[in-house]
Amino acid sequence: MARLLYTAIASLDGYTVDADGDFSWAAPDHEVHLAVNDLLRGVGIYLYGRRIYEVMTAWETMGDDEDDQPAIRDFARVWRGADKVVYSSTLDPATFAGTAGPRTRLEQAFDPQTVRALVRDAEADVAIGGPTLAAHALRAELVDDLQLFLVPVVVGGGTAFLPDGVRLGLRLLEERRFASGVVFLRYAVGS
């Protein structure tokens, strides 16, 4: 049975981007990148908000150069091999259809019942990307696993990994430390 996974790279104080919109501090080193690749290898569908999708479209061409690191080339293959659903009420459907990459479609609104059915019927895990969209899924109690790469940096503000007002019981499933000081934590949602 497929699960809905919320995976992110965040600062120690819980932000995915800082107050200036910068996330360069979150760029994974080779060891962490390999772990991210392995973690997402089983994902068949990515659910994205507009902003994170716009960031991720770089992977449509990134990794094509033979000089790229193997982890970069591998992630590009993993990412391109999955379907993408982009949720946005501000993108024009006609324009989006003409510019979206392969295996990508636009939804104008996040409907919890539709997402629940999508996950239930999926042949592989579904990953939700971006804290704004993930907040909708967390509030609707759709997320099965929280997967967090915690970077040893404090950024002092920005976009939070988890939304305000949501209470979750979590059960630790996995933890891993990396040489860079990054820590991976995977939790099942629900006690």
Side-chain angles (χ1 to χ4, degrees):
M1 184 168 165
R3 300 168 299 152
L4 182 59
L5 315 172
Y6 175 31
T7 305
I9 298 175
S11 64
L12 184 62
D13 53 345
Y15 298 99
T16 58
V17 298
D18 68 22
D20 295 324
D22 180 40
F23 55 91
S24 60
W25 50 266
D29 66 11
H30 183 72
E31 182 186 24
V32 172
H33 214 305
L34 290 174
V36 169
N37 294 0
D38 288 343
L39 190 66
L40 297 179
R41 198 172 307 285
V43 170
I45 304 169
Y46 292 101
L47 309 180
Y48 289 130
R50 178 189 53 81
R51 287 184 296 249
I52 191 70
Y53 173 71
E54 289 170 349
V55 169
M56 295 303 292
T57 59
W59 289 100
E60 290 176 5
T61 57
M62 229 157 93
D64 287 346
D65 191 331
E66 287 188 28
D67 293 333
D68 287 333
Q69 294 178 6
I72 301 275
R73 291 195 314 268
D74 183 41
F75 184 81
R77 283 189 296 273
V78 168
W79 188 80
R80 291 177 196 157
D83 293 331
K84 291 105 186 149
V85 181
V86 179
Y87 294 88
S88 174
S89 60
T90 60
L91 290 172
D92 175 61
T95 303
F96 183 83
T99 60
R103 303 181 71 160
T104 304
R105 67 183 170 91
L106 177 66
E107 291 289 335
Q108 296 280 278
F110 182 88
D111 176 56
Q113 296 305 334
T114 302
V115 173
R116 185 174 278 113
L118 182 139
V119 173
R120 181 192 64 230
D121 297 340
E123 295 179 14
D125 286 338
V126 178
I128 193 160
T132 304
L133 186 64
H136 294 294
L138 288 163
R139 288 187 178 106
E141 300 179 354
L142 299 176
V143 176
D144 297 299
D145 281 17
L146 292 177
Q147 302 177 137
L148 177 63
F149 288 88
L150 201 56
V151 179
V153 63
V154 174
V155 299
T159 303
F161 166 65
L162 294 171
D164 289 338
V166 171
R167 293 181 63 111
L168 302 170
L170 303 175
R171 183 171 39 90
L172 183 64
L173 299 174
E174 182 180 353
E175 60 186 288
R176 180 176 173 190
R177 293 171 44 165
F178 296 89
S180 62
V182 170
V183 176
F184 171 70
L185 302 167
R186 182 168 71 97
Y187 293 95
V189 177
S191 34

